Amino acid sequence: MLEVIIAVYSLYTFMRIYISVMQIGYINQEKRKDPVLMPAGKYMVAANYAVAREKMAIVEHFVDYLMFLWWVFSGFAWLSSVVQAEGNILQAVLFLYGFIVVNYAVGLPFELYGKFKIDEDFHFNKMTPRMFIVDQLKSAAIFVVLGGAVFALLAWIIGSYEMWWLWGFVLMFLIAVAANILMPFFMSLFNKFSPLEEGALKDDIVKLMEEAGLKSEGIFVMDASKRDSRLNAFFGGLGKSKRVVLFDTLLEKLGNRELLAVLGHELGHFRHGDIWKNIGLMGLLLFIAFYLFGHLPDSLFTQMGVIPHAGVKIAMLMLLLPLVSFLFNPFMSYVSQHNEYAADAYGSSVGGQEHLVSALLKLVTENKAFPKSHPLVIFFYHTHPPILERLKAMGYDASGVVVGEEEKIEEPALPNDGIFAFVDRDDQQK
């Protein structure tokens, strides 16, 4: 069984590295062609940023693979010998703390390089080393308290029920829903949220929300600029905790009509129930993962030289979950991309087509988002359709929006019909 898992994980790693290599080659080829959506100079910068990120990703994939091999061949056995505690639940929690700490230590150099080297070079990062350390300490405190409680509950379930994988899935699904509800609280530990000032913009946003049937806790501006220069806006929380969040960088770069167009797209997701659809998809992924890992034979753990106690089982689930997620990604991407077109239609109807186009151009340019990707990247990773494909499907000729390096970006002429889209916050193209 161990040989099968290693073979599958090896193929998974090869695929990730291959996709990154293909993406690098594709971008390097495309950046030499006529630019689209942004001036030539910024087009080249966006391409170079995407390539720099992919190069680091290749190294990360390789290191992840080495860590996987180490864990299954000797890491789990070593950690089991180091962590000794009275009681199965405490043993499991301490074992998982050790598992997380080791993986965190290995991944930290990549996070530091990505933030303080790559993002710094491309003028994204605004975070100081002190701020980074404070954020890490806050995250660690949350993890120790809440993560420890979740690990303890999972360990208890594994020790108490034969079908532990089913009840473990129920627990993790409920926690995922609760995390969405409590997201505004957790975010407030890291950023300052100020109510949007009274005025025409706030009145227009409230009107949009009322038309969409959205009841919100409020409209807030987040001080994102102290960490990063990218533009963003989103709806956070579920139920009564829902709030509209605007990055201060977005307020600085977009006009009021453009902001309303961006929020109109997000309101389209709310109107169509896309948040709950995404939660349902996440639940399906968790169910598949817990079912698969709940049926791993004890002989597998014997091959790894460990007793199959709760901590090892949970760690194995965490180790292999990215593999299952990777295989599930194309299905999730297909559903998500379909939802984006519908959200585009709603955003266009309430925000105005010309303002969506103007917001799109600014988001792509300011976020240095290269507008093209290799088909494999789109298939496995993109939650949104490619920008150019969305524009093409809506009857818009993207070749007509490129302007000179020093020229002002004007709102382009629009056809008589068609729907225009902008880049959403979690897509690779932003």
Side-chain angles (χ1 to χ4, degrees), residues 18-32:
Y18 177 75
I19 291 172
S20 289
V21 170
M22 295 301 292
Q23 175 76 335
I24 291 171
Y26 180 84
I27 292 176
N28 282 333
Q29 183 179 39
E30 291 296 320
K31 74 180 183 182
R32 296 179 176 89

Side-chain angles (χ1 to χ4, degrees), residues 99-117:
F99 176 75
I100 296 294
V101 168
V102 171
N103 286 325
Y104 171 80
V106 173
L108 183 59
F110 294 103
E111 184 175 1
L112 291 173
Y113 185 82
K115 188 174 298 294
F116 292 103
K117 175 56 180 173

Side-chain angles (χ1 to χ4, degrees), residues 184 187 193 218-222 232-236 243-247 250 263:
M187 293 186 67
F193 292 84
I219 306 167
F220 296 87
V221 179
M222 190 177 92
N232 199 357
F234 62 92
F235 291 95
R243 58 168 58 179
V244 179
V245 179
L246 306 173
F247 280 24
L250 193 75
L263 293 176

Side-chain angles (χ1 to χ4, degrees), residues 269-315:
H269 287 303
F270 168 76
R271 281 290 294 262
H272 303 143
D274 293 340
I275 296 174
W276 293 106
K277 293 174 187 176
N278 291 337
I279 290 176
L281 287 173
M282 176 193 63
L284 177 60
L285 173 62
L286 283 175
F287 180 84
I288 293 172
F290 269 88
Y291 176 84
L292 291 175
F293 301 138
H295 290 81
L296 293 176
D298 288 348
S299 60
L300 169 65
F301 300 96
T302 301
Q303 284 182 277
M304 294 189 295
V306 293
I307 299 172
H309 60 75
V312 175
K313 289 184 176 181
I314 298 170

Side-chain angles (χ1 to χ4, degrees), residues 206-215 267-268 270-271 346:
V206 170
K207 183 179 178 181
L208 274 183
M209 291 163 55
E210 289 176 349
E211 291 175 353
L214 173 65
K215 295 181 180 180
L267 281 169
F270 168 76
R271 281 290 294 262
Y346 186 84

